[in-house]
């Protein structure tokens, strides 16, 4: 299951520095607007201590963690929806992602210029969000022009539904309300799915602070970001992108030791990955054995047969049953046979709703 989050923000807010930390790739992070000209895509491993336990228990030939894809998109500026800066080229890249990570500058540094000349996170957030609204509006208005006459004259059910849904979205956007705030029916959600509206995507705000404020977890600017995000029903992750980039250079043991010394339980990057994972309603199941221990990403609410298809279409097609252990049971008993003897090996059918932490063996026949 390939899932993507797009990192957006004004120029020089720390997007590319954050991306460096995410992927441990050193793309251009220069001190001027539009240093990132093409979208950079990187894959990050989702930290999971449960997979580490399974690896120590089974000692497999290979261990495969679940991953998440981040796309770093060039800095947007006011007027981007009308072609300012690098314009709609980059707005189109955002349409391809599943969630948006909006980086907001919450630090002072005279050596790093700000395109607006001062630090004001709420202004910056509004600039970005207005551009995303305008971009969606342009698509909606263009489509309404094409189908308005047909909807009025033919009364074709599908066309009328599309027209009315788009009008509903337009009215929301004209009030500067993102589409994700609308209470859409299942049918209406299907109508807008193919348009890939940016404001329909879930969003997380990253408040980029300096190192000392990262330890505190807040400053005067992050408080304003939190107030703004609360109205959006969105999460805020406070982190120092510069520190995260430096941490990414350390060995895992050194990184843990450093975080312990400064009194931070989790790195900002780990918190961002967890929050993005949760935002998209994602969970993890495992397959485990001597050959391979592997984590698999699935959407909450997926049944066993659909999850089998994430491994291979043949397993879904020939699904017979799923043998399931709960991670907590295996961790406690530390042996598959003991789990079975305790009556905690469950045999489930195709309609079983997979749970986070399930360790599964799919039986199938094709």
């Amino acid at each position: 299951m390939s899932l993507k989050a797009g990192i957006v923000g004004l120029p020089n807010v720390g997007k590319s520095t954050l991306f460096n930390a995410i992927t441990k790739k050193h793309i251009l992070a220069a001190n001027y607007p539009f240093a990132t000209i093409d979208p950079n895509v990187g894959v990050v491993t989702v930290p999971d201590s449960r997979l580490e336990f399974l690896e120590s228990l089974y000692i497999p030939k290979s261990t495969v963690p679940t991953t998440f894809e981040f796309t770093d998109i060039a800095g947007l500026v006011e007027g981007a929806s009308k072609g300012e800066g690098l314009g709609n080229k980059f707005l189109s890249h955002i349409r391809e992602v599943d969630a948006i990570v909006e980086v907001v500058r919450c630090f002072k540094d005279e050596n790093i210029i700000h395109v607006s000349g001062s630090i004001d996170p709420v202004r910056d957030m509004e600039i970005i969000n207005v551009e995303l609204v305008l971009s969606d509006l342009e698509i909606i208005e263009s489509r309404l022009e094409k189908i308005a006459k047909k909807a009025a004259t033919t009364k074709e059910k599908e066309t009328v539904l599309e027209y009315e849904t788009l009008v509903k979205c337009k009215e929301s956007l004209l009030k500067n309300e993102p589409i994700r705030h609308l209470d859409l029916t299942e049918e209406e959600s299907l109508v807008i799915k193919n348009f890939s509206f940016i404001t329909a995507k879930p969003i997380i705000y990253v408040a980029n602070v300096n190192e000392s404020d990262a330890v505190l977890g807040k400053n005067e600017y992050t408080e304003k970001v939190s107030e703004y995000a609360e109205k959006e029903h969105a999460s805020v992750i406070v982190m120092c992108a510069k520190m995260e980039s430096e941490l990414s250079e350390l060995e895992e043991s050194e990184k843990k030791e450093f975080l312990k010394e400064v009194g931070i339980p989790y790195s900002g990057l780990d918190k961002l990955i967890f929050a993005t994972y949760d935002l998209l309603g994602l969970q993890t199941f495992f397959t485990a054995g001597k050959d391979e221990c592997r984590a698999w990403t699935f959407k909450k609410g997926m049944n066993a047969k659909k999850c089998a298809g994430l491994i291979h279409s043949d397993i879904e097609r020939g699904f017979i049953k799923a043998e399931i252990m709960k991670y907590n049971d295996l961790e406690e008993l530390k042996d598959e046979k003991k789990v079975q003897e305790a009556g905690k090996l469950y045999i489930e059918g195709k309609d079983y709703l997979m749970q986070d932490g399930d360790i599964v063996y799919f039986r199938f026949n094709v």
Side-chain angles (χ1 to χ4, degrees):
M1 178 176 281
S2 178
L3 292 151
K4 303 177 184 178
I7 305 173
V8 302
L10 293 175
N12 295 346
V13 296
K15 294 186 302 81
S16 296
T17 305
L18 174 60
F19 184 81
N20 286 344
I22 285 172
T23 63
K24 296 187 181 180
K25 291 180 182 178
H26 294 285
I27 58 167
L28 181 62
N31 179 26
Y32 53 87
F34 317 125
T36 313
I37 297 178
D38 292 311
N40 294 273
V41 178
V43 177
V44 64
T45 297
V46 177
D48 200 322
S49 59
R50 297 173 298 182
L51 186 62
E52 292 173 14
F53 169 78
L54 293 175
E55 183 179 27
S56 67
L57 185 67
Y58 288 92
I59 314 176
K61 295 174 185 175
S62 67
T63 301
V64 185
T66 190
T67 58
F68 202 90
E69 194 171 288
F70 282 90
T71 302
D72 179 36
I73 296 161
L76 294 170
V77 294
E78 192 168 5
S81 60
K82 302 299 181 185
E84 291 296 322
L86 293 170
N88 270 321
K89 175 182 176 184
F90 297 97
L91 290 172
S92 68
H93 293 309
I94 309 173
R95 297 195 185 283
E96 299 167 8
V97 304
D98 301 292
I100 296 170
V101 175
E102 186 170 325
V103 182
V104 187
R105 180 169 170 174
C106 293
F107 65 91
K108 292 178 181 178
D109 189 332
E110 293 179 1
N111 296 316
I112 301 177
I113 60 174
H114 189 293
V115 288
S116 299
S118 62
I119 310 301
D120 185 342
V122 172
R123 175 203 60 208
D124 294 353
M125 294 160 84
E126 287 178 343
I127 287 173
I128 293 292
N129 293 344
V130 164
E131 292 306 319
L132 303 186
V133 162
L134 291 173
S135 181
D136 281 351
L137 259 178
E138 185 179 343
I139 290 173
I140 289 174
E141 288 172 345
S142 174
R143 181 60 181 166
L144 285 175
E145 282 180 17
K146 292 177 182 177
I147 66 170
K149 188 174 180 181
K150 184 178 179 183
T153 56
T154 68
K155 302 293 182 183
E156 187 179 278
K157 186 179 177 181
E158 287 184 3
T159 306
V160 170
L161 175 62
E162 181 183 357
Y163 180 82
E164 290 177 348
T165 303
L166 291 179
V167 167
K168 188 175 180 179
C169 292
K170 179 181 176 179
E171 288 172 350
S172 178
L173 293 172
L174 288 172
K175 296 173 187 172
N176 204 27
E177 286 286 332
I179 292 170
R180 63 179 165 271
H181 286 181
L182 284 174
D183 185 19
L184 298 176
T185 66
E186 190 174 337
E187 284 184 324
E188 289 171 334
S189 295
L190 284 172
V191 165
I192 69 168
K193 187 176 181 180
N194 291 333
F195 290 98
S196 299
F197 291 128
I198 302 171
T199 67
K201 300 178 189 299
I203 191 168
I204 287 178
Y205 292 100
V206 170
N208 187 18
V209 300
N210 59 33
E211 292 184 26
S212 59
D213 289 337
V215 176
L216 290 172
K218 62 180 180 179
N219 64 22
E220 60 181 302
Y221 300 122
T222 64
E223 297 292 319
K224 294 176 181 178
V225 172
S226 295
E227 287 173 14
Y228 185 95
E230 191 175 346
K231 296 172 188 174
E232 286 257 310
H233 311 294
S235 299
V236 178
I237 304 294
V238 177
M239 71 164 74
C240 173
K242 183 172 179 277
M243 185 170 76
E244 295 296 327
S245 187
E246 291 167 355
L247 280 173
S248 71
E249 297 298 319
L250 301 177
E251 295 293 330
E252 194 61 30
S253 58
E254 293 175 314
K255 174 181 162 184
K256 287 179 180 177
E257 185 61 31
F258 175 82
L259 291 172
K260 185 179 178 182
E261 284 180 11
V262 297
I264 302 176
Y266 295 102
S267 73
L269 178 53
D270 285 350
K271 287 190 286 186
L272 175 60
I273 294 169
F274 295 144
T276 309
Y277 210 66
D278 186 62
L279 183 70
L280 291 172
L282 304 179
Q283 295 182 324
T284 304
F285 73 84
F286 303 94
T287 51
K290 294 295 182 184
D291 287 332
E292 179 185 81
C293 287
R294 183 164 183 161
W296 301 86
T297 299
F298 70 100
K299 283 264 192 184
K300 290 178 187 176
M302 283 180 69
N303 63 31
K305 187 175 180 180
K306 286 290 182 185
C307 284
L310 297 175
I311 299 175
H312 199 285
S313 57
D314 283 350
I315 302 178
E316 180 179 8
R317 185 161 52 91
F319 181 94
I320 298 172
K321 62 183 178 181
E323 296 180 3
I324 290 173
M325 292 183 290
K326 300 299 180 182
Y327 173 81
N328 290 342
D329 293 333
L330 183 60
E331 183 185 37
E332 180 187 347
L333 299 171
K334 297 180 174 56
D335 185 274
E336 278 190 21
K337 190 175 181 181
K338 288 180 180 177
V339 171
Q340 188 172 359
E341 288 171 350
K344 294 182 176 181
L345 176 67
Y346 306 100
I347 308 301
E348 302 289 355
K350 63 181 181 179
D351 295 325
Y352 166 75
L353 296 182
M354 294 289 286
Q355 303 297 308
D356 186 56
D358 280 351
I359 303 164
V360 60
Y361 176 72
F362 291 110
R363 294 202 175 275
F364 68 103
N365 183 37
V366 289

